[in-house]
Amino acid sequence: MNRHAKAFAFAAVLSAAATAAGAQELTVGVRGGPESMDPHYSALGPQADAVKHIFDPLVWTGDDLQLEPGLAVSWKPVDDDTWEFKLREGVKFHDGSDFTAEDVKFSIERIPQVTGPTTTEIYVRRVADVEIVDDYTLNIHTNGPAATLPYDFVRLFIVSADAAKDYSTAETSAEGFNSGKAAIGTGPFKYVSWEPKGDLVLERFDDYWRGPAPWARVVRKEISDDASRLAALKAGDVDVINYVSSADYLALDNDPDIETFIGDSVYVMNLQLDQREDTPKVRAKDGSKLAENPLRDARVREAIDLAIDRETMVEIVLEGLGTPANQMMPEGFFGSSEDIPAPVYDPEKAKALLAEAGYPDGFEIDLYCTNDRLPGDGAICEALGQMFSQVGIATNVNAISKTVYFPTQARKEYSVFMNGWGTLTGEASYTLGSLAHSPDDEVKMGAFNRIEYHNEEVDRLLEEGAQELDADMRRALFEEAMEKTMADRAYISIVVLQSVWAGDKDKVVVTPRADEETLAYFIKPAK
């Protein structure tokens, strides 16, 4: 072989090595990233999406949100207030230590100590005590019958009791987990580094119990702007992106280098109307204080509902990527009702109802929503503002970052606000128990009821349903609770979303998940 042939062959080897290395690295552009590396800090979707790369939940859900074995291989009720969970043996943490029942008990008990304003306590609200039977068996004692306990555990992330023992207070958790010292999980990837609002860098955990991931290194880049995220994909700076906007989705149909992947979402956009006697962000059009909160009047709430043109919202604002919603869960979920009527758009009736309620000239509201969490959130909010203004409700739209929106919402500083809620467990107690039940520390419900909605019948139905072990009877109780909640119109459902991912056609294949998570382990290399 002459000198030139040798040089060519050497260059070919280097090129092949570089190609192989590139194939082992996956770069993902995500609209939203985590708030912390502590998996127990926040219940928001982008948080769970990120930390699920490092930490496993006790119970897994598949693409369609059906329950599957995870770190727990089986579960069953053994008496009215006890569930037995059998754990997977042979699972290793990233530091080589064994996963045991002690880690599950520790994880459950630390959640109330470290959770943030978007509380993760909803996942352990039914737990009264955790009894370790042996290294791989737990008895979870509940505060009364808890028929839905395994569903709650799909977001119960397990941390290492040993690694996290010194980082399990509100004051210490961030330092331990964000530095990586406590970020020791059993998930498919190990923590390398994280920059808030920036990159989360991960490396493959070769001893992962499902088998090693197809990617040796994963970089998740938080790029909140939709156009910038798409530009990064087209430039080759990232291999796959989530939450492709509806307008960009149509344009990508003609791009030969990019593949799009569309899936039905579990997220419903809901408008929430404050029911307090004195509400801060509603006023007369001249800026003066109203004699009472108009949102407490059922006629006003119906008028607001009738002012929403959901068909236009789906077809124009979302470019067809969604369906009109009449309740707070997608059709067919456990506890959704077929007896709730389809929503009606009738602006003239809306005006008449406002006049009947004593507001012939309407009033003024400040409407708040996120603009960087779910597809179309800001655009839907802007469209709502226009629709409300057309019936006489002057609307100041405030589409803001989720990092500002959710803490302010938790402080109950909004009167009218909209955000997406996903029934991540697939059943109604998760959604209605969190949003529609009156806030009640004793029964551990109403944690996300920021509007002080209260209906005694709804409370009763949800409490009975949460304890009813017969599935058919439990479904009937939840369906009735959903019907009553939607009839009250303190929560007004607008659209069920669809989500779009896009990726390098020659590098990745994405299987859409209903919870909209973008999990690198399940992104496959293109053949």
Side-chain angles (χ1 to χ4, degrees):
M1 182 181 291
N2 63 34
R3 183 177 59 188
H4 294 295
K6 289 180 179 178
F8 180 81
F10 182 65
V13 169
L14 288 179
S15 176
T19 300
Q24 285 285 296
E25 180 167 324
L26 179 72
T27 305
V28 184
V30 294
R31 196 180 198 216
E35 300 169 74
S36 167
M37 284 293 97
D38 187 335
H40 300 150
Y41 178 75
S42 171
L44 290 181
Q47 172 84 7
D49 190 5
V51 300
K52 195 176 279 189
H53 289 75
I54 302 169
F55 304 94
D56 283 313
L58 191 62
V59 177
W60 187 258
T61 51
D63 301 338
D64 57 359
L65 302 189
Q66 296 302 302
L67 298 188
E68 299 177 5
L71 291 179
V73 294
S74 65
W75 45 88
K76 65 181 180 180
V78 294
D79 58 44
D80 284 349
D81 58 3
T82 307
W83 281 79
E84 179 189 82
F85 281 78
K86 291 287 188 179
L87 305 181
R88 188 178 299 275
E89 299 186 31
V91 174
K92 296 288 186 180
F93 281 101
H94 298 157
D95 61 3
S97 60
D98 291 327
F99 158 72
T100 70
E102 182 60 42
D103 301 298
V104 179
K105 177 180 172 67
F106 176 83
S107 297
I108 290 172
E109 292 176 350
R110 82 181 291 272
I111 285 176
Q113 311 306 317
V114 300
T115 189
T118 311
T119 179
T120 54
E121 286 190 78
I122 57 173
Y123 305 126
V124 295
R125 68 189 190 276
R126 301 306 312 277
V127 178
D129 184 56
V130 181
E131 174 194 356
I132 296 177
V133 178
D134 59 46
D135 280 351
Y136 298 101
T137 308
L138 288 158
N139 283 340
I140 308 291
H141 301 286
T142 56
N143 47 12
T148 61
L149 189 69
Y151 294 94
D152 291 342
F153 285 175
V154 302
R155 285 285 180 91
L156 171 56
F157 292 107
I158 306 305
V159 302
S160 162
D162 183 59
K165 65 179 182 296
D166 295 328
Y167 305 104
S168 292
T169 67
E171 294 74 29
T172 61
S173 64
E175 190 274 328
F177 279 82
N178 294 349
S179 67
K181 286 182 286 188
I184 307 297
T186 62
F189 297 96
K190 295 188 287 186
Y191 173 98
V192 175
S193 65
W194 174 59
E195 180 183 348
K197 295 293 183 183
D199 292 358
L200 171 59
V201 182
L202 307 161
E203 66 179 27
R204 180 167 56 206
F205 178 43
D206 290 331
D207 292 329
Y208 183 47
W209 59 269
R210 292 182 192 268
W215 314 103
R217 178 181 169 90
V218 172
V219 180
R220 287 172 56 92
K221 293 181 173 290
E222 184 171 349
I223 310 173
S224 60
D225 181 73
D226 292 344
S228 298
R229 202 162 57 258
L230 180 59
L233 176 63
K234 289 187 172 183
D237 296 332
V238 300
D239 303 310
V240 62
I241 61 174
N242 68 352
Y243 293 142
V244 175
S245 73
S246 52
D248 291 332
Y249 166 66
L250 297 177
L252 286 176
D253 267 354
N254 299 317
D255 192 319
D257 299 320
I258 294 175
E259 186 76 42
T260 56
F261 310 88
I262 183 171
D264 292 331
S265 169
V266 71
Y267 283 91
V268 178
M269 286 294 192
N270 298 299
L271 190 69
Q272 305 183 44
L273 306 177
D274 185 21
Q275 297 300 292
R276 290 174 290 180
E277 289 186 10
D278 189 20
T279 192
K281 305 292 186 181
V282 178
R283 65 194 74 84
K285 286 185 175 178
D286 63 5
S288 62
K289 185 177 176 63
L290 294 168
E292 55 190 0
N293 176 7
L295 305 175
R296 288 167 59 89
D297 191 312
R299 294 166 296 185
V300 171
R301 298 196 300 273
E302 183 179 358
I304 290 172
D305 192 5
L306 291 168
I308 302 172
D309 184 351
R310 291 168 175 82
E311 294 291 343
T312 293
M313 195 75 77
V314 168
E315 296 304 322
I316 304 300
V317 178
L318 295 178
E319 299 283 0
L321 293 175
T323 55
N326 66 343
Q327 56 193 298
M328 297 162 73
M329 299 192 305
E331 180 181 349
F333 275 44
F334 191 95
S336 62
S337 173
E338 297 180 357
D339 294 332
I340 297 175
V344 174
Y345 172 55
D346 191 339
E348 294 307 314
K349 185 176 179 181
K351 293 176 185 176
L353 283 167
L354 288 173
E356 183 183 323
Y359 305 98
D361 299 319
F363 49 86
E364 184 176 41
I365 64 172
D366 296 337
L367 169 63
Y368 287 84
C369 64
T370 60
N371 64 1
D372 59 358
R373 181 177 173 234
L374 293 171
D377 47 7
I380 293 170
C381 203
E382 293 286 353
L384 285 177
Q386 296 173 26
M387 292 172 185
F388 296 156
S389 295
Q390 289 173 2
V391 300
I393 302 174
T395 304
N396 305 308
V397 175
N398 300 272
I400 58 178
S401 171
K402 64 183 183 295
T403 59
V404 176
Y405 172 88
F406 283 106
T408 310
Q409 187 210 85
R411 295 192 298 269
K412 299 183 180 179
E413 295 181 16
Y414 300 148
S415 298
V416 183
F417 52 101
M418 182 205 77
N419 62 262
W421 180 275
T423 304
L424 300 167
T425 64
E427 50 79 42
S429 70
Y430 177 80
T431 293
L432 295 181
S434 299
L435 293 169
H437 194 286
S438 305
D440 190 324
D441 290 337
E442 185 175 340
V443 298
K444 308 293 185 182
M445 291 188 182
F448 288 90
N449 183 345
R450 314 293 200 202
I451 60 173
E452 296 198 8
Y453 170 68
H454 175 69
N455 183 316
E456 290 184 3
E457 271 296 288
V458 170
D459 289 355
R460 179 188 64 80
L461 290 163
L462 292 175
E463 290 170 29
E464 289 184 13
Q467 298 185 42
E468 179 54 65
L469 296 176
D470 182 275
D472 290 337
M473 294 178 68
R474 186 167 73 252
R475 183 193 298 270
L477 290 164
F478 287 156
E479 288 180 1
E480 187 177 354
M482 182 67 78
E483 292 160 10
K484 290 183 181 298
T485 300
M486 301 320 298
D488 282 340
R489 292 187 171 92
Y491 293 97
I492 298 175
S493 298
I494 304 164
V495 293
V496 183
L497 298 174
Q498 289 181 307
S499 285
V500 180
W501 291 257
D504 182 334
K505 180 178 289 186
D506 295 327
K507 186 166 183 179
V508 299
V509 176
V510 178
T511 300
R513 287 179 57 91
D515 55 17
E516 301 185 351
E517 291 177 346
T518 305
L519 303 177
Y521 184 85
F522 297 100
I523 296 175
K524 302 302 182 186
K527 294 181 180 179

